[in-house]
Amino acid sequence: MKKCTALMMLGLILSSSGWGQVPNLPKAPSKEGAEQSQAEKIPSGVHEMTASDVEAFLDGIVPLQLAQDDIAGATIAIVKDGKLLFAKGYGYADIEKKKTVSPEETLFRPGSVSKLFTWTAVMQLVEQGKLDLDRDVNGYLDYKIPDAFGQPITLKDLLAHTPGFEEQIKDLFKTGSESPNLGEYMKTHIPTRIYPPGTVPAYSNYGASLAGYIVERVSGLPFEQYIEENIFKPLGMTHSTFAQPLPSALAPNMSNGYQLASDGPKPFEMIVPFPAGSLSSSAADMARFMLAHLQDGQLGDARILRLETARLMHSRLFDLDAAANGMCYGFYEESRNGRRIIGHGGDTVCFHSDLHLIPDAGVGFFVSYNSLGRGNPQPRTMLWEALLDRYFPYTEPASPTPGSAKDDAKAVSGTYVLSRRSETSFLKAATLIGEFSVSAAEGGTIEVGQLTGPNGKPKRWREVAPMTFLEENGQDKLIFKPDHNGRMQLVLPYPFFVGQRVGLFENNKVLLPVTGISLLIMLLTLMLWPVAWFVRRHYGHKLTLTPIERRVRIAVRIVFALDLVFMVALIALVVYGETHLEVFSDRGNTWFHVIQVVGVVGAIGTLVVLYNGIQSWRNRQKRIWGKLQATLFVLVCLGFLWFAFAGNLLHFSSSY
């Protein structure tokens, strides 16, 4: 799949009093002791990752990011060698009240980082023999995932984001204070299966929530209670909860969420499929979770996973190419700077977070921002890469460019659609608009228009192996290879979705210009209609039309008006829904369907436009310009219909 999607100042290292409520979390050794014990281990020219150096480094970056990107606050935790190395809050949890961020107490919403707790719960039940990773998930449910492709979905498919579900956004978020009903959501929001399971990675919130619902059913406990008793309590995570709304004891600690710091705060976000993203937690608590995973499931005397289970969870489960990042058992690989890195990112409307683990270095990094901000690329990405470059410097080995580079660049050029997409609903139109465009550039390199650098320009990629392209002045790779049907696919650095080459019918490089020109001609026709009437009246000219021709002429313009109203109203409703989430729920169905009725009437009206074109060519007295205009009108209606049908805009559905 998928978005999208979306830093600050310095803070004190957690004092013993700050950790008084969460005992037994080991801390980094004193500054002097750490520097003496590590002095001989650090190569010349490499920065040692100490608490003081990390603090000075982050203090030089994060406050500037907050100011430049209009972000209210952030929280950061870093662990190393089984101890908390650094934790600090930056900026404000509440701008109006000038309430600063506390890494120990302030709760942020890590979004999809929540899934790591869901996957950990699944693996706990696997090691207890209560779940089988290779069993049909229907065996654990009180409803049925419909059959498709002759293959069942297994827990391994859910862990690797390969169940084959299409993307859905309806009812992901809600407003109000009523706790979401997980079982009801799961039974009424089953996505269409668009891929055979285990074949195509397509990030799925529904799939993760399905795993959480299975945890709930097999354990006999509500999901949030299971996580509380089996992960939070053993690890001493006293400032964490999946509950919505927040428990009264934690509610005062919740950070506000903002789009921009200069705007007002947004309401608390209620995530309906909550195993996929409803966690509220402090940076200090997230440090405990990272330490447990870095130490093979153990923190102090507490063990949440057996050693072999934790190592299995961190191992590769699914990949499309051995040279690309792969999916683990819930974690995904994001290797960089010569290090194998596993982790997970997360986004809600307001909060934007990342969790990264470097197992062989014993390092974990968590960051969360309470504002979307203006940054592109995202501040969290730039912060993480800067941290890696400082403490794990790396130079990409020189790789010769194959002689086939120019031919390969031409071979991979084309338009690609992400596998994480809506396929059967009207939201497919958004999928078409967001397609990737790969084009050959000078010297056998390629560009991908949608993959841009900090300067906003497309990155350049150089071939370093057959059909493998490395980012110039970077480390990310793009790998092109045919899928099982022989269709070229683009393997991205993000292993939870893949790019799939599209044909002409869904190619936005052709489709969008045709649609835009069609709508523009419709608009100009309507705007010039009264102008032409005034001009004719001024000069005393009259149209010599039969009554039928006059009615058809008016009908053609009514069809144009309906098509334009349909497109403008649909776009306006979707844009409105970005800030009024109730639109993407049953409450918004009526509005979507009313707009679609307008679109259907406009589509049927194409027959009138076609009739007008045929009659124009049959009328021998009509001038050639009139005939060409009538033909043009037919073509612009067909251009509108092309986009409407390719994007499923006229598909009536309450599921999207």
Side-chain angles (χ1 to χ4, degrees):
M1 13 7 309
K2 139 10 340 60
K3 342 284 34 333
C4 159
T5 331
L7 304 143
M8 328 204 229
M9 171 189 140
L10 136 79
L12 26 94
I13 302 180
L14 299 179
S15 63
S16 50
S17 59
W19 280 103
Q21 298 176 351
V22 241
N24 302 323
L25 181 66
K27 295 182 185 180
S30 66
K31 189 186 306 181
E32 295 80 5
E35 291 175 353
Q36 289 176 0
S37 62
Q38 296 294 323
E40 298 88 12
K41 300 180 183 179
I42 306 300
S44 176
V46 176
H47 292 277
E48 181 185 357
M49 183 180 261
T50 64
S52 57
D53 194 83
V54 166
E55 184 170 24
F57 178 67
L58 293 180
D59 282 359
I61 297 178
V62 181
L64 184 61
Q65 290 182 319
L66 287 180
Q68 289 183 337
D69 293 315
D70 202 1
I71 295 172
T75 191
I76 298 175
I78 300 175
V79 298
K80 185 176 184 291
D81 298 331
K83 300 174 177 65
L84 177 68
L85 180 74
F86 172 86
K88 187 171 183 178
Y90 293 86
Y92 294 104
D94 188 321
I95 295 175
E96 184 179 1
K97 296 180 180 179
K98 301 300 180 184
K99 184 179 180 180
T100 57
V101 175
S102 164
E104 300 94 341
E105 297 184 353
T106 306
L107 275 59
F108 276 55
R109 306 296 300 280
S112 287
V113 178
S114 307
K115 291 180 174 69
L116 296 179
F117 292 81
T118 301
W119 304 132
T120 299
V122 167
M123 299 305 288
Q124 285 179 335
L125 295 174
V126 167
E127 69 179 17
Q128 294 171 27
K130 296 179 180 179
L131 289 178
D132 183 343
L133 292 176
D134 295 305
R135 183 182 177 188
D136 184 344
V137 295
N138 279 322
Y140 300 112
L141 302 175
D142 56 348
Y143 68 101
K144 185 179 180 182
I145 303 295
D147 295 331
F149 303 102
Q151 300 176 48
I153 295 171
T154 67
L155 281 169
K156 279 185 178 178
D157 296 323
L158 300 183
L159 286 157
H161 286 291
T162 58
F165 292 130
E166 74 169 333
E167 176 76 348
Q168 284 193 330
I169 67 167
K170 184 183 176 185
D171 292 324
L172 277 180
F173 298 92
K174 61 174 281 190
T175 56
S177 58
E178 183 181 353
S179 297
N181 186 315
L182 181 59
E184 180 182 351
Y185 175 88
M186 302 309 298
K187 295 167 187 174
T188 57
H189 291 72
I190 306 173
T192 301
R193 297 173 62 180
I194 59 176
Y195 309 114
T199 60
V200 178
Y203 191 91
S204 175
N205 285 309
Y206 184 89
S209 297
L210 182 60
Y213 187 57
I214 290 172
V215 168
E216 182 172 287
R217 285 187 46 77
V218 170
S219 69
L221 296 173
F223 176 79
E224 62 271 26
Q225 183 180 344
Y226 178 91
I227 300 296
E228 174 72 27
E229 294 184 6
N230 293 277
I231 299 179
F232 293 160
K233 285 184 178 178
L235 297 182
M237 297 176 65
T238 59
H239 286 76
S240 299
T241 182
F242 269 83
Q244 301 174 116
L246 291 172
S248 57
L250 293 177
N253 296 326
M254 186 67 227
S255 169
N256 285 337
Y258 301 84
Q259 288 282 338
L260 296 173
S262 55
D263 295 338
K266 304 300 181 182
F268 181 81
E269 302 169 73
M270 301 280 281
I271 291 100
V272 182
F274 51 83
S278 75
L279 175 64
S280 300
S281 185
S282 69
D285 274 12
M286 295 302 293
R288 292 180 172 277
F289 183 71
M290 291 191 293
L291 284 169
H293 268 281
L294 286 168
Q295 297 176 131
D296 295 323
Q298 186 171 7
L299 178 62
D301 296 331
R303 178 169 285 282
I304 59 170
L305 291 171
R306 296 174 189 164
L307 180 147
E308 60 272 16
T309 307
R311 292 183 178 178
L312 175 66
M313 191 173 176
H314 302 160
S315 66
R316 183 177 285 212
L317 172 61
F318 177 88
D319 63 65
L320 291 171
D321 191 275
N325 286 328
M327 286 300 309
C328 306
Y329 288 72
F331 286 89
Y332 54 77
E333 293 178 333
E334 42 184 7
S335 300
R336 195 173 189 85
N337 283 37
R339 300 278 181 162
R340 182 175 186 264
I341 304 170
I342 61 175
H344 211 292
D347 300 89
T348 67
V349 174
C350 296
F351 291 83
H352 307 275
S353 313
D354 270 336
L355 183 150
H356 310 278
L357 302 180
I358 311 178
D360 66 352
V363 170
F365 175 83
F366 172 77
V367 61
S368 185
Y369 300 86
N370 61 10
S371 315
L372 174 62
R374 296 192 175 97
N376 185 24
Q378 297 180 13
R380 56 180 164 167
T381 301
M382 298 186 70
L383 183 66
W384 169 238
E385 292 181 0
L387 192 84
L388 280 178
D389 290 343
R390 181 173 182 84
Y391 299 111
F392 301 94
Y394 176 76
T395 301
E396 184 74 32
S399 301
T401 301
S404 61
K406 290 186 177 180
D407 291 337
D408 289 344
K410 292 179 181 178
V412 303
S413 295
T415 303
Y416 295 77
V417 63
L418 288 182
S419 56
R420 182 190 184 185
R421 65 175 182 265
S422 296
E423 183 69 21
T424 63
S425 75
F426 64 87
L427 290 178
K428 185 177 180 181
T431 299
L432 298 179
I433 293 172
E435 289 174 349
F436 279 28
S437 177
V438 179
S439 58
E442 59 186 23
T445 61
I446 62 172
E447 288 184 351
V448 182
Q450 292 69 27
L451 300 181
T452 58
N455 60 2
K457 296 181 179 180
K459 296 178 180 179
R460 190 70 62 89
W461 309 76
R462 178 178 63 86
E463 190 171 35
V464 294
M467 309 303 275
T468 299
F469 293 79
L470 176 68
E471 175 189 358
E472 287 190 344
N473 303 314
Q475 298 179 38
D476 287 338
K477 289 182 180 178
L478 303 179
I479 299 173
F480 296 84
K481 61 190 303 183
D483 62 14
H484 60 283
N485 293 320
R487 179 174 58 170
M488 184 66 74
Q489 59 184 350
L490 165 57
V491 182
L492 295 154
Y494 322 106
F496 39 80
F497 48 58
V498 64
Q500 300 170 317
R501 181 180 269 171
V502 299
L504 178 63
F505 181 70
E506 296 183 349
N507 190 323
N508 68 6
K509 293 183 71 174
V510 180
L511 178 57
L512 295 184
V514 168
T515 304
I517 292 171
S518 298
L519 295 176
L520 178 61
I521 292 174
M522 290 181 182
L523 178 62
L524 290 175
T525 300
L526 293 177
M527 292 175 62
L528 294 176
W529 190 16
V531 173
W533 181 83
F534 278 113
V535 170
R536 288 195 305 270
R537 183 180 181 185
H538 177 76
Y539 289 102
H541 294 165
K542 289 187 177 180
L543 289 175
T544 54
L545 300 174
T546 66
I548 292 180
E549 288 175 334
R550 190 177 301 277
R551 286 194 288 269
V552 169
R553 188 170 186 269
I554 294 173
V556 167
R557 281 142 183 87
I558 291 175
V559 170
F560 285 4
L562 289 171
D563 290 347
L564 288 168
V565 167
F566 167 68
M567 293 296 294
V568 171
L570 189 60
I571 293 171
L573 186 59
V574 171
V575 171
Y576 179 79
E578 292 180 358
T579 54
H580 297 78
L581 299 176
E582 64 274 9
V583 166
F584 301 114
S585 68
D586 286 336
R587 289 191 234 172
N589 284 348
T590 300
W591 289 107
F592 280 116
H593 291 166
V594 167
I595 293 172
Q596 286 178 304
V597 167
V598 174
V600 168
V601 174
I604 295 174
T606 301
L607 296 175
V608 175
V609 181
L610 180 60
Y611 172 81
N612 178 63
I614 293 173
Q615 291 301 110
S616 295
W617 283 96
R618 285 181 173 178
N619 187 345
R620 296 181 179 179
Q621 296 179 347
K622 199 172 187 70
R623 294 182 178 181
I624 186 63
W625 296 113
K627 295 179 179 181
L628 292 176
Q629 181 193 61
T631 303
L632 179 63
F633 286 173
V634 173
L635 293 176
V636 300
C637 282
L638 293 178
F640 162 78
L641 288 180
W642 183 8
F643 184 74
F645 283 105
N648 286 334
L649 294 182
L650 305 180
H651 178 70
F652 285 77
S653 174
S654 296
S655 178
Y656 52 85

